[in-house]
Amino acid sequence: MNTTTTLELLAQGSQQIQTSGLQSWIQSNLLPLLLLVVAILLLWLGGGRGDNAGVMRRLGGVIVALAIVGLAVSGAGVNIGKWIAQLFTG
């Protein structure tokens, strides 16, 4: 199958482009690698100077960011949003 045929098939809509493979690769490989890099940087930047309070303050921000990423990846954000909306509407 050459490139022209592939482009024609995609233009006709007979095949859908899916990103599930890329999404699962990011979840299984990229996120743990980023977490490792952040942990090493936190220990290297703050631990070497004895700034333990600064490390913990940054770690709190990292935990909040991880919680947001976890909600986005799992899809639970919709249910939490509905629950919060129900608190105010009824």
Side-chain angles (χ1 to χ4, degrees):
M1 183 178 283
N2 61 17
T3 306
T4 309
T5 308
T6 305
L7 291 175
E8 288 174 2
L9 288 173
L10 289 173
Q12 293 172 1
S14 62
Q15 295 179 352
Q16 294 181 349
I17 298 175
Q18 297 180 355
T19 60
S20 61
L22 178 63
Q23 182 180 8
S24 64
W25 182 86
I26 288 174
Q27 288 175 357
S28 63
N29 294 320
L30 192 61
L31 288 178
L33 183 62
L34 287 174
L35 290 176
L36 180 64
V37 169
V38 167
I40 290 172
L41 283 174
L42 283 174
L43 291 173
W44 180 58
L45 291 175
R49 295 185 309 217
D51 185 19
N52 294 333
V55 171
M56 294 309 291
R57 192 169 37 249
R58 290 183 192 101
L59 186 62
V62 169
I63 290 173
V64 169
L66 287 176
I68 292 171
V69 168
L71 287 174
V73 169
S74 68
V78 175
N79 294 334
I80 293 172
K82 287 179 183 178
W83 177 72
I84 292 173
Q86 289 175 353
L87 291 176
F88 296 105
T89 60

